[in-house]
Each structure stands twice: as structure tokens, then as C-alpha cells.
Amino acid sequence: LKRGNMIRPSVRITFSFLLLVLWPVMPAGSASTGILIDFEDLDRVLSNDASLFEGYAGFYWTNFNSVVAPPMASGIPESGYAAGLVSGIFIAYNEDGGPAEFWADTPFTFASVYLTAAWLEDLQILVEGFLGPDRLYSSMVAVSPTEPTQFEFNFRGVDRVRFTPFGSKPYFADGYGTHFVMDDLRFGDAEVTGIDA
């Protein structure tokens, strides 16, 4: 279409009209809008405190569980699992308190995520983005045990993201460990084609 003034005015008007008509029906997961994973499409029974399954949202998942966030009520220990809920009822967390990661068959842009410490007040998380064996990005973040924090990463052209937590100072009386809560992952302008579920 970029040919100087070679396009006739009537063609320009028709093309502009078609663009205005078709624009609203672009898919929600298109590059212009990004992709949100909030875990709310998971089954309330089968996915409650269960491993995120291979192919969920187009990714492979290692050491991530999904769980219905516990309410802040009597008889239930206070923790960052309740505080880390951003939307809906589901959150994800690193099952054994160790490193956890997700990856796809094709590159994507990891834009942002909300993170919360489950038990520790000094929890830090090393977040790394890889393309194949090469580490392209690395960022250390400090997370709160009392409220979720949104971190903007904008890791472009990666096919794997790894989270490695560190910390030792408990905040809540009823738990201990380098577990963290994750909610509302957002992916940017690179298409996520993922894997076959």
C-alpha cells in the first residue's frame, strides 16, 4: 500500500472504511491487545491445589500449582496466599518453594505479573527470561507478604521464564518457606502460539 500517491482517493476511502468496520472484531488475544492469564478458567474442583497441566494457556509449566485462594477467616492461617489474590478466586504458586518456570514452543513477550510472598518478609525472586539455552533477561524483585505487587518485565522474544525465590525471615507465625503467589500474568505484543493442549 505504500506507493506514494499511486492509490486513488476512492480506494483510500474504501480501505479506511473496511479497516474501521473490521477493527472491532480482531481477536482478544491479538498482538494489539496482549494476553492475560488469570487462572479463572480452571476447574474449581480438579484444579484446586493441583499442578498446572501441560498445555494450559498454551504453555508448559514446571513446579506451579493452582489453588483457590483461602479466605482471611478464623481457623485458616493468615498467609500471603490470601493476600496475593488479584482477581477472581484462583492463584498460582511454586509448589515446593523452589524454582518454577513456564515455557512455550515459540517466542513470546512476558510483560508483567503480580507477585506476593506466601510466608517470608524478606522474599526476593530472581526472574529470568531465556531463548533456548541463552539467558536474555535477569531481574531481582522484592515481594511483600501482605499485598500483591505488579512487576513490569517486558521480556521480549523469550521462550522460557524462570522464577527462583530467596529468603529466610518469616512474617506469619503459621508457615515458613520460599513460596510465592502469582496472579494475572500479562503477555505483550509477541504472539503466543504455545503448544497443543
Side-chain angles (χ1 to χ4, degrees), residues 10 13 18 37 55 65 82 88 100 106 110 118 125-126 130 134-135 152 155 192:
S10 61
I13 293 170
L18 286 174
I37 298 177
N65 273 21
T106 55
F110 176 49
I125 305 174
L126 174 64
F130 297 84
D134 300 320
R135 186 174 72 172
E152 303 280 345
F155 292 176
V192 179

Side-chain angles (χ1 to χ4, degrees), residues 15-38:
F15 177 75
S16 298
F17 174 77
L18 286 174
L19 186 60
L20 287 172
V21 169
L22 294 176
W23 181 262
V25 298
M26 291 179 69
S30 68
S32 64
T33 58
I35 297 170
L36 174 68
I37 298 177
D38 60 8

Side-chain angles (χ1 to χ4, degrees), residues 135-158:
R135 186 174 72 172
L136 304 184
Y137 300 92
S138 177
S139 181
M140 185 75 78
V141 297
V143 297
S144 167
T146 60
E147 62 182 356
T149 303
Q150 184 180 34
F151 295 97
E152 303 280 345
F153 293 106
N154 293 314
F155 292 176
R156 296 178 178 273
V158 298

